[in-house]
Amino acid sequence: MTTVLHVATTGSDQADGSEASPFRTINHAAQQAQPGDTVLVHEGEYREWVSPKRGGLSNARRITYEAAPGEHVVIKGSERITGWQRSAATTAHTPSTVWQVDVPNELFGAFNPFAEEIVGDWVVRPIEEGQRKHLGDVYLDGRSFYEVGSPDEVHQPTRRTEVRDDWTERQVPVHDPDQTAYVWHARVTPDTTTIWANFHDADPNERLVEINVRRSVFYPTEHHVDFITVRGFELCQAASPWAPPTADQPGLIGPNWAKGWVIEDNVIHDAKCVAISIGKEASTGDNNYTRRGDKPGYQYQLESVFSAQQIGWDKEHIGSHVIRRNTIYDCGQCAIAGHLGCVFSTIEDNHIHRIALKREFYGHEIAGIKLHAAIDVEITHNRIHACSLGIWLDWQTQGTRVARNVLYGNSRDLFVEVSHGPYVIDHNLLASPVSIESFSQGGAYVGNLLAGTLGLIRVMDRATPYHRPHSTQVAGYAVIYGADDRWIGNVFAGGEIDDAYGTHAHTFDGAWVGTAGYDGHPATFDDYLALIDAQPPGDHNRFPDVPQPVYIRHNAYAGAARPYAAEDAPLRLSSALFTVTDDGDEVWLEADLAEAFDGLRVGLVTGADLPRVRFVDADFEERDGSPVTIDCDLLGELKSPDGSYPAGPLNTLSSGTSRIRVW
């Protein structure tokens, strides 16, 4: 028998959880809920960490947590702080805009975000040299402040409108320049945390001022709490820590090494680092490079893959999560992150924006979506913009599908790193100055629009694993020779390398506009084998200097974009202009294409059209092992097996001017 357990701000945890006698806290209900039960939460604000005691038993016997229909429910990792006192006046005649408060450390318990530094593997440094950053945060009416290094800097904050982007070596804007003048500093003693904050004209005792207190707001403390659904909440203001792939990866919300979670229809924001984590746990490595310094982080990450297999990393126990229709913004590291725990998951219909734009700290694990070991993961129809990086797939991207996503206004849109494939990137709008960077091999790129550059880099000093198809079992490992890619029916709109990489352009020799970066690679597998046969006798030494094959046909190129020299039937366009217009909840693609665009037609692409990848010796397949069918355009319109369609992500794209709503 299933039960509905009610929670309300007017309730009591000594009640029975009925509609007439609801519980007061969600976490208390979470300790009572049994498989098949629903925890129905009513209107109001809940300041707590929900840590479910048990999970469901299957998709049909879940435990569901949801906001009552039509009611706004907020779960916060913060507490309201009052009792602020003005700090010393800046002049004899001007009251100080700086206030301070002493917070008893009992409020935090064993975890004080204002004492916890942002540290861990692949944290490079704070953006501002010499300043340590912490997990704490201060919010005025929901607006997060910036941490500074001393009380004096709180009195005289420096307004930053730009910071240096460490990848491109260029200056980039802070997303809300005025916010940089809203700053805080904290000093932690054994009993008290003193916080100074500059509120400008606001009186913090009359306005809503909060500080983050809890690491997470919805996250089990135990592993294998399976088949949980979290639906319809606002979740915010958690002190989630830096979450690299070589560490425990807690987030504001997440399953913590489990199977079958559904996180849907939520608004999630102001996670200090990660909002949704579908990542690994600590026993397979927890920042050992930072703690020990005896081996590269790369080596510890490689070890974590094998350690995970020893504790049951497989489809029966881990992954298969669904993350859909969420709005996620204002997080310091990632909207969605995960290593190992993300396998077989689906990420769809989410709106992700303003990720890692405060730029208080910098590291190599920052993106809207950052996944390692994305085996059989589908990332479909997400809107990702105003992020430091849109989607970053790092290590073991295999059986992965990135389809029908709208990416624009990011520093970079899509980065696939040290993976062997097979993976499919299809019918995406990639409108940022850097559209794709591939430090990988074995990809299939079909029907995309690239308004920016394509980066192609070999990685010969890091061997990474590949797997048996649709499995977590390791089949081997290899370095990245580059290429072994397929490009069919894409539109290259003619971006500029200088626009993409700024002052770094002269040193980034792997950036191209179009597919000309593959020049010199053989166009068939037989041609590749002939090149191998021509090498002197030997074994492994015959392969590194022989370029892998590429399979490139029926792409359109405009402006500075240039095709692969041996491409079959490329189309050069005299003009092609694309503009993405962001109009609140709507995104429009405006196009002006030369008449010749209509002369290029592309048939339906399936697994039969995509040669197998070389290292993994695997075909392009759906999750069930059937040949992949790439039959759906950006707007969800199906393609007929006997039809022909224009290049690019839209079935209706044609010459002349057009304006098409893409979100």
Side-chain angles (χ1 to χ4, degrees), residues 125-136:
R125 64 179 181 274
I127 288 294
E128 301 204 2
E129 299 288 355
Q131 291 196 6
R132 297 180 176 183
K133 303 298 182 182
H134 298 80
L135 296 180

Side-chain angles (χ1 to χ4, degrees), residues 592-607:
D592 187 354
L593 298 170
E595 185 177 352
F597 181 79
D598 297 333
L600 177 60
R601 309 296 289 181
V602 183
L604 180 68
V605 177
T606 71

Side-chain angles (χ1 to χ4, degrees), residues 512-523 550 552-553 555 557 561-570 572:
W512 301 86
V513 183
T515 55
Y518 291 105
D519 286 355
H521 288 261
V550 291
I552 301 178
R553 63 178 174 88
N555 301 287
Y557 302 85
R562 296 292 180 266
Y564 164 59
E567 176 166 352
D568 181 15
R572 295 176 183 267

Side-chain angles (χ1 to χ4, degrees), residues 407-462:
L407 295 100
Y408 61 97
N410 305 302
S411 292
R412 295 176 281 163
D413 281 337
L414 173 64
F415 183 18
V416 187
E417 186 175 5
V418 290
S419 296
H420 307 283
Y423 56 85
V424 176
I425 313 296
D426 73 279
H427 295 95
N428 299 283
L429 172 58
L430 304 160
S432 299
V434 179
S435 292
I436 296 176
E437 288 178 331
S438 173
F439 293 20
S440 292
Q441 54 200 5
Y445 300 84
V446 180
N448 301 285
L449 170 57
L450 288 76
T453 59
L454 167 64
L456 301 171
I457 296 290
R458 302 198 323 158
V459 184
M460 301 295 286
D461 59 352
R462 281 187 291 159

Side-chain angles (χ1 to χ4, degrees), residues 122-426:
W122 291 293
V123 169
V124 177
R125 64 179 181 274
I127 288 294
E128 301 204 2
E129 299 288 355
Q131 291 196 6
R132 297 180 176 183
K133 303 298 182 182
H134 298 80
L135 296 180
D137 223 332
V138 176
Y139 312 92
L140 172 64
D141 296 331
R143 179 188 210 176
S144 68
F145 283 28
Y146 284 69
E147 181 180 6
V148 294
S150 70
D152 288 342
E153 292 177 73
V154 180
H155 282 277
Q156 296 181 327
T158 301
R159 181 166 303 197
R160 298 176 306 158
T161 60
E162 291 184 328
V163 295
R164 186 172 66 88
D165 184 285
D166 287 78
W167 180 255
T168 64
E169 295 184 359
R170 60 177 172 164
Q171 294 299 112
V172 294
V174 177
H175 76 88
D176 185 0
D178 185 57
Q179 190 172 356
T180 58
Y182 287 80
V183 297
W184 63 268
H185 177 75
R187 185 172 296 160
V188 180
T189 66
D191 300 318
T192 303
T193 296
T194 301
I195 301 173
W196 292 264
N198 194 325
F199 293 101
H200 297 273
D201 295 332
D203 184 337
N205 295 313
E206 296 178 353
R207 303 274 287 275
L208 175 60
V209 177
E210 301 158 290
I211 63 171
N212 61 3
V213 171
R214 287 169 283 279
R215 192 200 71 183
S216 304
V217 300
F218 207 113
Y219 200 88
T221 56
E222 302 297 326
H223 301 157
H224 303 296
V225 179
D226 302 328
F227 298 109
I228 295 281
T229 294
V230 183
R231 177 188 300 134
F233 298 103
E234 181 181 351
L235 310 164
C236 61
Q237 297 179 345
S240 53
W242 180 255
T246 49
D248 186 20
Q249 288 187 297
L252 182 152
I253 180 174
N256 191 15
W257 201 246
K259 178 177 179 175
W261 276 48
V262 176
I263 302 172
E264 61 185 10
D265 300 310
N266 302 286
V267 175
I268 307 171
H269 60 94
D270 287 285
K272 189 69 179 189
C273 289
V274 173
I276 300 176
S277 172
I278 45 176
K280 67 181 282 300
E281 45 70 71
S283 75
T284 52
D286 193 19
N287 288 309
N288 288 337
Y289 168 67
T290 299
R291 297 175 190 275
R292 302 176 185 176
D294 59 343
K295 288 185 286 190
Y298 154 77
Q299 193 67 33
Y300 279 118
Q301 184 171 339
L302 190 63
E303 291 173 4
S304 74
V305 175
F306 294 95
S307 296
Q309 289 187 315
Q310 296 169 18
I311 64 168
W313 178 49
D314 55 42
K315 190 173 185 178
E316 287 70 34
H317 299 95
I318 299 298
S320 298
H321 307 299
V322 177
I323 301 171
R324 62 190 172 205
R325 298 189 303 272
N326 302 285
T327 297
I328 311 170
Y329 61 94
D330 287 351
C331 303
Q333 180 185 344
C334 301
I336 303 169
H339 180 209
L340 303 170
C342 64
V343 291
F344 313 108
S345 294
T346 299
I347 301 171
E348 61 185 4
D349 301 322
N350 301 284
H351 179 196
I352 296 170
H353 60 118
R354 298 209 309 253
I355 303 300
L357 290 195
K358 284 180 71 177
R359 301 181 186 273
E360 290 190 283
F361 51 90
Y362 166 71
H364 294 304
E365 304 300 330
I366 288 174
I369 299 173
K370 176 71 195 283
L371 301 179
H372 295 76
I375 298 172
D376 280 18
V377 172
E378 294 184 359
I379 302 174
T380 306
H381 195 241
N382 300 280
R383 175 187 177 190
I384 304 175
H385 62 106
C387 295
S388 182
L389 197 161
I391 301 172
W392 187 351
L393 303 176
D394 196 352
W395 288 52
Q396 300 153 274
T397 304
Q398 183 171 330
T400 308
R401 182 87 174 264
V402 180
R404 304 176 51 233
N405 299 283
V406 176
L407 295 100
Y408 61 97
N410 305 302
S411 292
R412 295 176 281 163
D413 281 337
L414 173 64
F415 183 18
V416 187
E417 186 175 5
V418 290
S419 296
H420 307 283
Y423 56 85
V424 176
I425 313 296
D426 73 279

